[in-house]
């Protein structure tokens, strides 16, 4: 099992619109690639000194090959769409984890 995790801190000024867009557009677009079996969204409850709200978007795959395919073929355009829509309102980082 491979977990592709995207952690995002989003500015409070766009939080509600962003979360709705993530749930209704972005996550379904990621899942439509067919490379992940399941997704989950978690709110991170640790307060951040810089403000905003943080979330973990988790996408589960049965192989590293599928995750790499997503990263190479689909992630660039999906990231660009997100960046254009919420420029200067978020910080994100990605982690790939393998169940051992």
């Amino acid at each position: 099992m491979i977990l592709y995790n995207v952690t995002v801190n989003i500015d409070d000024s766009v939080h509600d619109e962003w979360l709705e867009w993530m749930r209704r557009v972005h996550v379904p677009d990621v899942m439509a690639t067919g490379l992940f079996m399941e997704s989950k969204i978690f709110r991170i409850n640790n307060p951040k000194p810089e403000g905003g709200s943080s979330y973990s978007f988790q996408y589960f795959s049965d192989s590293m090959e599928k995750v790499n395919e997503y990263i190479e073929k689909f992630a660039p355009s999906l990231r660009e769409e997100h960046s254009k829509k919420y420029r200067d309102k978020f910080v994100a980082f990605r982690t790939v984890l393998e169940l051992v």
Side-chain angles (χ1 to χ4, degrees):
M1 172 81 58
I2 306 296
L3 168 60
Y4 180 69
N5 182 78
V6 182
T7 303
V8 180
N9 180 272
I10 189 71
D11 189 272
D12 290 333
S13 67
V14 294
H15 173 271
D16 294 346
E17 173 200 326
W18 170 84
L19 186 57
E20 184 69 17
W21 182 80
M22 291 295 288
R23 285 181 172 152
R24 294 197 185 272
V25 178
H26 187 78
V27 172
D29 286 349
V30 172
M31 295 304 294
T33 66
L35 298 169
F36 298 102
M37 304 174 299
E38 182 181 5
S39 67
K40 296 181 185 265
I41 303 171
F42 289 89
R43 178 189 286 265
I44 300 171
N45 287 326
N46 298 345
K48 301 284 183 196
E50 65 274 7
S53 297
S54 293
Y55 290 85
S56 170
F57 292 84
Q58 300 181 353
Y59 303 97
F60 298 87
S61 181
D62 58 4
S63 75
M64 193 63 212
E65 290 77 21
K66 289 180 180 177
V67 172
N68 286 335
E69 182 179 350
Y70 171 78
I71 291 169
E72 292 170 14
K73 292 184 180 177
F74 299 99
S77 62
L78 291 169
R79 287 180 192 174
E80 180 64 23
E81 180 182 16
H82 181 270
S83 292
K84 282 182 179 178
K85 191 162 181 62
Y86 297 103
R87 188 167 311 282
D88 300 325
K89 299 292 184 183
F90 75 97
V91 176
F93 67 91
R94 292 146 187 91
T95 310
V96 178
L97 300 96
E98 182 176 9
L99 181 64
V100 293

